Amino acid sequence: MTTLAIVESHADRASEHICDRLRERADWTQRTDDSRPAADGGGTYYRTDGAVLRSFDGLHIDLERPADAFDCDPDLLVFASRHSGDTGPLLTGHFTGNFGPAEFGGEPDALADAAPNALAELLAAFEEYAPAEYDVGMECTHHGPSEVGCPSLFAELGSDDEQWDDPAGADAVARAVLELRNVAPHRDRQLVGFGGNHYAPRFGRVARETAWAVGHVAADWALEAMGHPTAHRDALERAFDASGAEIALLDGEWPVLEETLGELDCRLVSETWLREVDDRPLALVDAVETELGAIDDGIRFGDRSAASVTVVDLPADLISAAQGIDPDRVRAIVEANTVAFATENGGTRVGSRVAIPGDDGDDDSVGARDAIIEGLADVLAEKYDTVWIEADAVIAEETAFDPELAREAGVPEGPKFGALADGEPVTVDGETVSPERVRTERTHRFRI
């Protein structure tokens, strides 16, 4: 069971209002701790299932190792806090520490242990409980403390006096904080963010819309304050350690930082990569990128999963002909029967190379390939009169307008050609030319 520590600051009236709502929302037992001063988390405190709430006189940003005040050995600590800014009604969360100088608490180049999974869960709870007039967002890493004693985050009510005194806003934060009881600080998919503005829109989208949780984020201003990345390798390495992450995502162009990150034991990925990978097994992702190609080069995942994959080439002319008829249906067929597939034209068209389940020639791989061929043949049937599959080809027959026969019948090129092609008769020099007269049978063979 995860134990949640909650910190109230008497120097922050929004914090007090949030904690008042917390005390109303849960069944707390009031206790007394005479071993610590009341100003430093001692005196009266509160305990409920999965959580302990203690109060401090100082501002949160100046509290170093507040987890030491809790006798429950907390797994996660939440600072109930105000948010200040020109951002209107806002519920927000973030981690603490400094990538460069320490202007507002904490130590320079020092980062507190983050709780990426808990922040993702907090944002989801904010979305559920926020009053209609409030936005929800996350912020980059900033201010102290840089040493908490366990993974931690700030849960904030903002952004000015009106919201700090708003009972509905305080209640929304309180309800969201209570949702963090028994929530683990970490999950198995976490990343560190670099770049972007203070409110980290790219990283917020990733946290809300994918299976990836976001740890520390160094915004543009923090990177500029930090200075040359090679002189702050320790801070960069600490960002990964404190976030429990080996993956990095950049927002913006930071070539020197990118080079420095390349020298660390981390992987730099794109947002496209994160969205495509999502919750898929990472071993399967590695196999697909090794055997088929890189996600950033247009590889996309299908609906199938497998312990092993086989890369095969589908008939390019069959794929092309089917996409000319119904590209959306072709993509759905390929997605339904593959682990992954190549795309072209910026990802808008399906390519001919696919990764299918199983080993080459086994029942799984043969069945998946056959299902794709059969599906593509069904698409052809939308256009052609007769379609069937032979051992080495898909055969499609059609009776179609023949321009040469139309010329022989004296039909001038132009609108009358179009009418005959559409199945309408035309009149030439007083004679009616029927569509059937200028049609011919054609056979198309798509080798498989």
Side-chain angles (χ1 to χ4, degrees):
M1 177 181 290
T2 301
T3 301
L4 173 66
I6 303 169
V7 170
E8 175 183 24
S9 168
H10 290 307
D12 176 347
R13 73 175 189 270
S15 179
E16 291 183 319
H17 291 156
I18 294 166
C19 291
D20 285 344
R21 301 289 85 74
L22 279 166
R23 284 183 280 263
E24 294 172 1
R25 278 279 175 186
D27 183 16
W28 300 87
T29 299
Q30 182 174 311
R31 299 190 179 185
T32 302
D33 180 0
D34 294 326
S35 68
R36 301 178 65 89
D40 193 28
T44 300
Y45 70 100
Y46 300 86
R47 183 184 293 273
T48 190
D49 289 343
V52 177
L53 189 160
R54 287 180 179 256
S55 304
F56 298 75
D57 282 355
L59 276 174
H60 307 94
I61 65 174
D62 297 321
L63 302 177
E64 291 297 322
R65 294 198 62 86
D68 291 348
F70 293 81
D71 56 1
C72 57
D73 192 19
D75 302 287
L76 172 66
L77 185 145
V78 174
F79 297 92
S81 172
R82 72 183 179 222
H83 168 72
S84 300
D86 298 325
T87 47
L90 177 67
L91 306 184
T92 182
H94 69 88
F95 305 121
T96 62
N98 303 292
F99 280 92
E103 297 184 9
F104 301 100
E107 297 295 325
D109 293 335
L111 300 168
D113 286 333
N117 182 61
L119 178 59
E121 295 293 334
L122 178 74
L123 296 177
F126 278 166
E127 293 282 1
E128 180 177 356
Y129 297 127
E133 67 272 21
Y134 279 78
D135 290 326
V136 172
M138 67 175 286
E139 298 176 79
C140 68
T141 297
H142 63 293
H143 69 59
S146 53
E147 179 59 54
V148 175
C150 70
S152 65
L153 58 83
F154 268 61
E156 299 187 343
L157 170 63
S159 302
D160 211 334
D161 293 273
E162 182 180 352
Q163 289 79 43
W164 300 338
D165 294 329
D166 178 19
D171 188 59
V173 177
R175 295 175 73 183
V177 169
L178 287 172
E179 293 288 331
L180 298 183
R181 290 180 291 179
N182 298 321
V183 168
H186 297 281
R187 63 176 66 166
D188 64 356
R189 289 164 196 252
Q190 302 183 156
L191 62 92
V192 174
F194 296 95
N197 69 40
H198 182 92
Y199 292 95
R202 163 170 279 186
F203 306 107
R205 288 195 306 270
V206 169
R208 290 192 302 271
E209 299 171 8
T210 78
W212 293 87
V214 179
H216 281 292
V217 175
D220 289 344
W221 66 263
L223 293 174
E224 292 166 0
M226 181 179 71
H228 201 286
T230 56
H232 296 269
R233 287 175 61 106
D234 288 348
L236 297 176
E237 290 177 342
R238 173 60 184 159
F240 290 95
D241 290 342
S243 301
E246 298 177 349
I247 298 286
L249 174 64
L250 264 63
D251 187 356
E253 300 294 326
W254 294 91
V256 177
L257 172 64
E258 189 171 343
E259 181 180 343
T260 304
L261 292 175
E263 297 170 358
L264 303 181
D265 189 20
C266 70
R267 179 177 181 179
L268 190 60
V269 303
S270 66
E271 185 175 346
T272 297
W273 189 91
L274 293 169
R275 290 183 177 278
E276 275 300 308
V277 171
D278 202 29
D279 60 354
R280 293 179 173 87
L282 296 180
L284 179 62
V285 173
D286 289 341
V288 165
E289 291 205 292
T290 299
E291 300 294 331
L292 183 60
I295 291 169
D296 288 336
D297 291 335
I299 298 302
R300 296 294 179 263
F301 283 93
D303 298 335
R304 302 288 298 274
S305 186
S308 61
V309 298
T310 298
V311 174
V312 299
D313 290 304
L314 300 174
D317 57 345
L318 177 59
I319 287 278
S320 178
Q323 290 193 108
I325 300 169
D326 191 340
D328 292 338
R329 187 177 173 192
V330 170
R331 191 178 188 107
I333 290 166
V334 172
E335 285 181 344
N337 293 285
T338 64
V339 175
F341 56 95
T343 63
E344 301 168 350
N345 295 350
T348 61
R349 290 179 68 85
V350 172
S352 59
R353 299 189 76 232
V354 300
I356 55 181
D359 297 320
D360 189 18
D362 70 8
D363 290 345
D364 284 341
S365 63
V366 172
R369 188 175 186 278
D370 287 350
I372 295 171
I373 299 298
E374 291 169 5
L376 297 177
D378 286 343
V379 174
L380 295 185
E382 297 178 17
K383 173 182 178 181
Y384 295 95
D385 299 323
T386 307
V387 178
W388 71 93
I389 302 173
E390 296 183 349
D392 63 346
V394 174
I395 312 298
E397 290 185 343
E398 64 176 338
T399 302
F401 170 71
D402 189 331
E404 187 58 35
L405 290 178
R407 293 188 191 96
E408 292 176 2
V411 180
E413 293 187 26
K416 291 186 177 182
F417 263 41
L420 287 167
D422 290 338
E424 301 173 3
V426 299
T427 300
V428 179
D429 296 332
E431 179 185 356
T432 298
V433 178
S434 69
E436 292 75 19
R437 181 177 169 184
V438 291
R439 288 180 179 274
T440 188
E441 290 186 356
R442 295 174 183 167
T443 300
H444 303 269
R445 187 179 186 86
F446 303 96
R447 295 189 61 83
I448 57 175

